[in-house]
């Protein structure tokens, strides 16, 4: 399939000499939200997670929902994914992550 974010899908279809199929069918409702998670964050938390992503995705993640995060670059996306995986996994396991990135068990 093609991404809905492709602005030139008709041109691509023409170039590939293919048929273009467009559907508005959405089997899962789409919910769009914009949030920042930096309010109330400590300086150490902002240094580790300057975008506040962990705080923004924590609640829907804990409720078993999917979260889609868009990043401007591949590098940013890779760093954000690694940080979220580390932070949210550590939280689920009951450990905290230190400034060095090492985890320690919480009491």
């Amino acid at each position: 399939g093609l991404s809905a974010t492709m602005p030139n899908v008709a041109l691509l279809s023409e170039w590939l000499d293919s048929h273009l199929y467009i559907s508005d069918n959405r089997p899962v409702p789409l919910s769009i939200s914009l949030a920042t998670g930096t309010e109330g964050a400590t300086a150490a938390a902002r240094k580790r997670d300057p975008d506040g992503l962990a705080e923004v995705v924590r609640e829907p993640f804990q409720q078993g929902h999917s979260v889609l995060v868009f990043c401007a670059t591949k590098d940013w996306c890779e760093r954000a994914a690694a940080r979220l995986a580390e932070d949210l996994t550590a939280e689920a396991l009951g450990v905290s992550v230190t400034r060095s990135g090492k985890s320690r068990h919480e009491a």
Side-chain angles (χ1 to χ4, degrees), residues 10-20:
L11 180 63
L12 178 62
S13 174
E14 183 180 320
W15 182 70
L16 292 172
D17 193 27
S18 63
H19 296 281
L20 176 61

Side-chain angles (χ1 to χ4, degrees), residues 1 7 9 14 18 21-22 24 29 33 35 37-38 41 43-44 54 58 61 67-68 82 89-90 94 100 103 106-107:
V9 68
E14 183 180 320
S18 63
Y21 295 96
I22 298 175
D24 292 331
S33 301
T38 56
R58 180 174 285 109
F61 175 77
V67 178
L68 183 59
T89 300
S100 66
S103 62
E106 292 181 342

Side-chain angles (χ1 to χ4, degrees), residues 5-67:
T5 60
M6 252 181 105
N8 59 347
V9 68
L11 180 63
L12 178 62
S13 174
E14 183 180 320
W15 182 70
L16 292 172
D17 193 27
S18 63
H19 296 281
L20 176 61
Y21 295 96
I22 298 175
S23 173
D24 292 331
N25 179 32
R26 181 166 299 281
V28 177
L30 179 62
S31 172
I32 300 173
S33 301
L34 178 64
T36 61
T38 56
E39 298 111 21
T42 65
R46 281 192 302 274
K47 183 175 182 179
R48 176 162 172 66
D49 184 8
D51 303 312
L53 288 176
E55 190 60 35
V56 171
V57 303
R58 180 174 285 109
E59 184 178 343
F61 175 77
Q62 289 173 336
Q63 294 173 353
H65 297 290
S66 298
V67 178

